[in-house]
Amino acid sequence: MNVLVTGGARGLGLAISLYYLKNKHHVIVNYNNSEEKAFELKNKYGDKVTLVKADISDESEVKRMFENLGSIDIIINNAGIARDCDPFDKTAEDFLEVLKVNLVGTFLVSKYAVNHVDKGCIVNISSTNALDTYYPESMDYDASKAGVISLTHNFSLYLKNRNIRVNVICPDWIDTDMNLGLDEEYKKSLGEFLKPEEVAKVVYDVSMDENINDAVIRVGDNSVK
């Protein structure tokens, strides 16, 4: 199978790419700023990996990315950013940047991917922050991830007659380099962090199960008390 993973060269995206590679699939790794890590993956796995550079928040780049791709079986909308800070320090530009990458990017990739998918599936990555683990510092991120859940339901309905399944995974905090800057005491207060490989396995299992469609799947047990 051909699998496209956006943001597939680092963090959770890398874990997802590696999980599919381990299971003998061909992985198309989308990256934007993580060029060095992307080429490390390519050098290690050779023809099993195809690299495609594109800023998923830029429609022209997304459109161009798909012009060079053939048939795809699975789309993993993983790429995302966070700009956590005090709400009163957030500007409109900061807020919109997060929405543009996390929400609009997921929309754009899904929009242009569907013409390359025949009876395949889309798996979106949201967050428990879209369900019940809210943090004022990340309200832009939380809003974007709630939007991803809404996109999932809408695309699932829209693509039903094309036999394309659409599901969304909502992980809790994940132990990736995205969270390296967190204060250790604060990090402990957040509960147990998931390993990227744990989430990658759920993504893989959901993508392979033809009976799962339009599902919101939580991974992790932490919630705001």
Side-chain angles (χ1 to χ4, degrees), residues 118-151:
D118 181 24
K119 296 183 179 179
C121 72
I122 298 171
V123 180
N124 296 323
I125 306 298
S126 179
S127 168
T128 56
N129 286 26
L131 301 173
D132 58 14
T133 58
Y134 311 116
Y135 301 93
E137 297 83 1
S138 63
M139 58 174 59
D140 44 0
Y141 178 86
D142 300 358
S144 72
K145 292 301 186 178
V148 168
I149 293 176
S150 179
L151 276 184

Side-chain angles (χ1 to χ4, degrees), residues 118-207:
D118 181 24
K119 296 183 179 179
C121 72
I122 298 171
V123 180
N124 296 323
I125 306 298
S126 179
S127 168
T128 56
N129 286 26
L131 301 173
D132 58 14
T133 58
Y134 311 116
Y135 301 93
E137 297 83 1
S138 63
M139 58 174 59
D140 44 0
Y141 178 86
D142 300 358
S144 72
K145 292 301 186 178
V148 168
I149 293 176
S150 179
L151 276 184
T152 299
H153 294 313
N154 279 292
F155 267 115
S156 177
L157 179 64
Y158 184 71
L159 298 173
K160 185 176 181 180
N161 292 333
R162 297 181 63 168
N163 294 313
I164 298 175
R165 298 178 293 111
V166 189
N167 296 290
V168 60
I169 310 297
C170 297
D172 215 314
W173 288 93
I174 307 171
D175 192 12
T176 66
D177 56 2
M178 194 174 184
N179 300 315
L180 287 177
L182 288 177
D183 176 80
E184 284 303 315
E185 287 302 314
Y186 177 64
K187 190 173 179 179
K188 289 178 183 177
S189 73
L190 298 173
E192 187 173 354
F193 278 44
L194 296 163
K195 292 182 174 60
E197 296 76 15
E198 293 179 82
V199 183
K201 182 182 186 305
V202 176
V203 171
Y204 181 84
D205 290 345
V206 168
S207 71

